[in-house]
Amino acid sequence: MADKPVRADKATAVAELTDHFRGSAATVLTEYRGLTVKELTELRRSLGSEAKYAVAKNTLAKRAATDAGIEGLDALFTGPTALAFVKGDVVEAAKGLRAFAKAHPVLVIKGGVFEGKALTADEVNKLADLESREVLLAKLAGALKAGLSKAAATFQAPLSQAVRTVDALRAEREKDGSAEA
């Protein structure tokens, strides 16, 4: 089926959505049917400044995803669809969406895209199970610090042993020297 020409306002919307797809670390597709405007505002706030939550027409979002080079999402563009474009920590955004969905069961996570690859809803939830970037960096720093401490102790051991040996030799000489006198 050939693509139909797009009106100027729709072309602008597609271009904006395409930019969001391209500029995001991840995008999560949700069904928001049944959420009030107040709840949608609460969801947007809970995602923070690193994510943009936008309601979009399926045909425009599908075209934008295609224009951005993303494949495998077509089946998810059914029913009312909203997209969470995540520019920051993907794990934190996934945790936020999952927590909101638990508190508001009408929000359904359909799936998403991460690093150009389509994700199922289960895979998005698995992302939410991961530790945040900050926690992982802290663990890495701790492991590096422990490794450096161990390395310093290893390098220091021969020096300490040499000092003890020299000290024992000095004590032995003093003992022998006082015995001769």
Side-chain angles (χ1 to χ4, degrees):
M1 163 162 88
D3 289 337
K4 293 189 244 176
V6 181
R7 290 193 336 230
D9 59 334
K10 290 184 179 181
T12 303
V14 168
E16 186 177 318
L17 288 170
T18 301
D19 287 344
H20 284 308
F21 271 114
R22 287 183 179 148
S24 299
T27 303
V28 179
L29 283 75
T30 64
E31 183 175 319
Y32 64 93
R33 185 182 318 187
L35 289 176
T36 65
V37 172
K38 182 180 176 185
E39 290 168 334
L40 284 171
T41 303
E42 181 185 333
L43 173 57
R44 285 185 175 103
R45 277 195 200 119
S46 73
L47 290 175
S49 63
E50 296 294 316
K52 177 180 174 42
Y53 191 75
V55 173
K57 287 190 171 194
N58 287 328
T59 54
L60 301 181
K62 190 185 295 188
R63 184 175 292 227
T66 301
D67 290 352
I70 298 167
E71 297 176 5
L73 297 181
D74 289 357
L76 302 178
F77 291 114
T78 58
T81 302
L83 305 133
F85 296 104
V86 183
K87 294 193 186 303
D89 190 346
V90 177
V91 173
E92 285 301 313
K95 285 178 191 266
L97 282 167
R98 184 173 66 182
F100 192 88
K102 281 183 180 177
H104 303 85
V106 292
L107 179 75
V108 177
I109 297 173
K110 297 179 178 184
V113 60
F114 179 61
E115 295 182 350
K117 293 184 176 60
L119 300 174
T120 64
D122 287 339
E123 290 170 327
V124 172
N125 283 322
K126 285 180 184 174
L127 273 176
D129 290 335
L130 296 175
E131 293 176 327
S132 72
R133 181 176 188 272
E134 288 76 22
V135 171
L136 292 174
L137 287 174
K139 284 185 175 183
L140 177 63
L144 288 174
K145 183 178 177 186
L148 290 174
S149 296
K150 191 182 275 185
T154 302
F155 292 133
Q156 193 174 6
L159 182 59
S160 298
Q161 188 176 5
V163 168
R164 284 193 302 271
T165 303
V166 169
D167 193 39
L169 286 172
R170 184 187 51 78
E172 187 70 31
R173 280 196 181 149
E174 285 178 2
K175 183 178 163 186
D176 289 344
S178 62
E180 290 177 13

